[in-house]
Amino acid sequence: MMLALQQRIDGHLMHAKHSHATSDNYSPPEQHFFSDLIAAAQLVRLSWPDSAPFAPSRAVADRIARHVATWTALRGSHNPGRRVRDAWAAPESPAECGALLLAADTLLGDRGQDGPALRERIQPLATAAFRRNKANTGAAFRRMDISLNLSRALAQRFLGFNRAGGHHHARQHVPSRHGHFGIEHIPALLPETWIGRHFGDLTSLWDPGDVWKPRHLRRVVSLKLVEMAGGGTWPQCAVILGIPWVTAQRSLTVLKRSLLPGGLWPLLDTAVEIVAQELDAAAPHVDFAARRRTLSTWQIPVEDLAALTVGLLRLANAESSLTRATATALVWARVTQGDHLHSPSVEALREAQRSTKALVSAIGQLQTPSNRKGTRLRFLQRINDYADGLARALDEGRSRLKRQHPLAPLTAEALTAT
């Protein structure tokens, strides 16, 4: 077995047509043959004797055990605070080195296989290695240029997210699954229609009058989808979606308190995977990131607001700056599928250290179900129709966000009939 592995190593060393290094996350496994083998060997050594089952014979296990005993003594004998240059070096004995590499190769298995089986083998060893060794052991593995599958398998996770670490290395952003959608295709709040279609098993357990838990669910699902597509910890995912750290933390806390005691979190994971599969199959994808960028400084044109309010005689202050800011925030929220509390209109007030109370109250009056009647309902319906048309125009590249909006011409007669 050692001879066969040595021949494979020789083949990779001598092969004339090496795979060229790429920046693609899905580069061929051969490109990482040596780095994966080195990382796996270090993991076998750091987690021994938990890794003993991957030694294919008693003789191989004995050689590894002998090396680990010597290596552990070497690490324990140096003065605190001093770096030992050969702490991670290969064994000096060829037999021990071969045994360690053979166990590492057995641990890795088929290099072209899918990630879940590899993760099942790697995770127990990674947990043991990180628990028994210095805090920077995990960071050392993250700095290695290893394959995507091994990166995924090594990542420490909690509730579907990578655990936060002290090193912001690019390898922390390894996607947790191979998908056909990107982080730009994910809104800050999963659309309500998707929640109703895929998360009924969870929402049915909540009070029908509770409007906040479904909102927290929409936010957490979006965070998990970003992690699937781009990797990273949940705070990093929140930054990508423009969600404040404290808001993301609050949503996670609410769901943990609701789902963990009853062992219901796996239902959430299963439903999120189904959503991810639908996004994989979707064509074309909606670029929500582009929508957010385009509308980051946008305000609804005065002329468009006048068209939206025509005939609504009981709408107080229809032409006021508050009404304009309210309509702008609601259009932004619908087009980007974001939270109106984090819309540019509201954030601008916060940055200017001005009160957001009046604007948030005005938005709430239109969105509160009990207020959705009469003039307010008609105004909200017009805003939604306007936003839907604007979204289509942005996706098709037809809008430059000038005076003419995508539903134009909106005549007074047409709006009065709405």
Side-chain angles (χ1 to χ4, degrees):
M1 288 185 289
M2 288 188 185
L3 180 58
L5 176 59
Q6 180 65 67
Q7 290 171 341
R8 287 173 54 208
I9 290 173
D10 290 347
H12 280 274
L13 287 171
M14 303 302 293
H15 200 279
K17 296 181 179 180
H18 288 295
S19 298
H20 294 291
T22 70
S23 58
D24 194 309
N25 279 336
Y26 306 107
S27 52
E30 294 78 8
Q31 178 179 317
H32 301 283
F33 175 84
F34 290 107
S35 56
D36 280 9
L37 193 61
I38 292 169
Q42 300 291 6
L43 185 61
V44 168
R45 183 161 60 180
L46 288 165
S47 62
W48 191 267
D50 297 59
S51 53
F54 296 98
S57 74
R58 180 60 183 271
V60 170
D62 289 343
R63 288 189 175 99
I64 297 175
R66 194 159 49 244
H67 161 68
V68 170
T70 304
W71 178 72
T72 303
L74 174 65
R75 296 177 75 204
S77 64
H78 74 280
N79 295 328
R82 292 184 59 190
R83 295 185 65 182
V84 179
R85 297 179 62 182
D86 58 350
W88 284 50
E92 293 184 3
S93 163
E96 291 177 2
C97 188
L100 190 61
L101 290 175
L102 188 58
D105 189 62
T106 304
L107 173 61
L108 290 172
D110 182 2
R111 299 297 183 93
Q113 69 178 351
D114 194 13
L118 178 62
R119 182 172 175 82
E120 289 180 6
R121 297 196 300 274
I122 291 285
Q123 270 301 295
L125 305 188
T127 300
F130 298 158
R131 183 179 66 247
R132 296 171 190 165
N133 295 277
K134 293 182 179 180
N136 64 353
T137 300
F141 278 98
R142 287 195 296 272
R143 286 192 291 268
M144 293 180 175
D145 184 24
I146 55 180
S147 67
L148 181 65
N149 271 352
L150 187 53
S151 294
R152 287 173 175 161
L154 279 167
Q156 294 178 287
R157 299 169 63 79
F158 178 66
L159 298 182
F161 294 97
N162 291 342
R163 287 187 182 274
H167 299 266
H168 297 281
H169 190 265
R171 280 285 168 187
Q172 287 183 295
H173 293 272
V174 173
S176 63
R177 71 190 292 276
H178 183 104
H180 300 290
F181 63 92
I183 57 176
E184 69 274 14
H185 303 132
I186 302 167
L189 292 173
L190 194 76
E192 291 180 337
T193 54
W194 289 61
I195 294 295
R197 190 159 69 243
H198 298 297
F199 296 86
D201 289 344
L202 294 178
T203 57
S204 64
L205 302 175
W206 297 335
D207 184 344
D210 189 340
V211 299
W212 289 107
K213 279 184 182 175
R215 195 170 189 82
H216 290 302
L217 176 63
R218 293 173 63 194
R219 185 175 292 120
V220 169
V221 173
S222 288
L223 289 172
K224 287 174 69 67
L225 289 171
V226 169
E227 191 280 329
M228 286 178 166
T233 61
W234 68 259
Q236 292 166 336
C237 296
V239 169
I240 290 171
L241 294 177
I243 301 173
W245 184 91
V246 67
T247 302
Q249 184 186 48
R250 174 61 179 165
S251 292
L252 283 165
T253 299
V254 168
L255 288 193
K256 284 192 288 187
R257 289 175 179 172
S258 176
L259 303 180
L260 288 182
L264 300 175
W265 197 274
L267 291 178
L268 174 61
D269 288 334
T270 300
V272 174
E273 176 59 30
I274 293 174
V275 172
Q277 290 173 7
E278 286 203 11
L279 283 173
D280 284 340
H285 291 103
V286 175
D287 192 337
F288 287 101
R291 290 185 180 185
R292 289 192 291 267
R293 286 193 302 271
T294 304
L295 296 184
S296 62
T297 59
W298 175 83
Q299 292 187 71
I300 188 169
V302 174
E303 297 84 353
D304 289 356
L305 179 61
L308 292 176
T309 58
V310 67
L312 302 181
L313 301 179
R314 296 185 180 180
L315 184 65
N317 302 316
E319 298 179 358
S320 70
S321 59
L322 179 60
T323 301
R324 187 183 185 194
T326 300
T328 297
L330 288 172
V331 170
W332 178 91
R334 189 170 178 92
V335 172
T336 66
Q337 288 294 304
D339 190 334
H340 67 267
L341 294 176
H342 306 138
S343 64
S345 299
V346 178
E347 291 294 346
L349 292 176
R350 291 195 182 104
E351 291 176 4
Q353 297 185 339
R354 296 170 55 190
S355 174
T356 62
K357 184 176 180 180
L359 178 55
V360 171
S361 176
I363 295 171
Q365 288 177 12
L366 285 174
Q367 290 197 316
T368 302
S370 60
N371 289 338
R372 293 181 184 178
K373 52 188 176 182
T375 298
R376 285 175 176 166
L377 176 60
R378 293 174 64 192
F379 186 42
L380 184 60
Q381 288 173 335
R382 292 181 182 183
I383 289 175
N384 289 343
D385 290 341
Y386 178 94
D388 292 343
L390 179 59
R392 289 192 297 271
L394 289 175
D395 292 343
E396 296 168 4
R398 292 190 286 108
S399 175
R400 295 184 180 179
L401 299 183
K402 291 184 178 180
R403 175 176 178 241
Q404 187 91 353
H405 58 69
L407 297 184
L410 281 180
T411 63
E413 293 77 13
L415 284 169
T416 302
T418 301

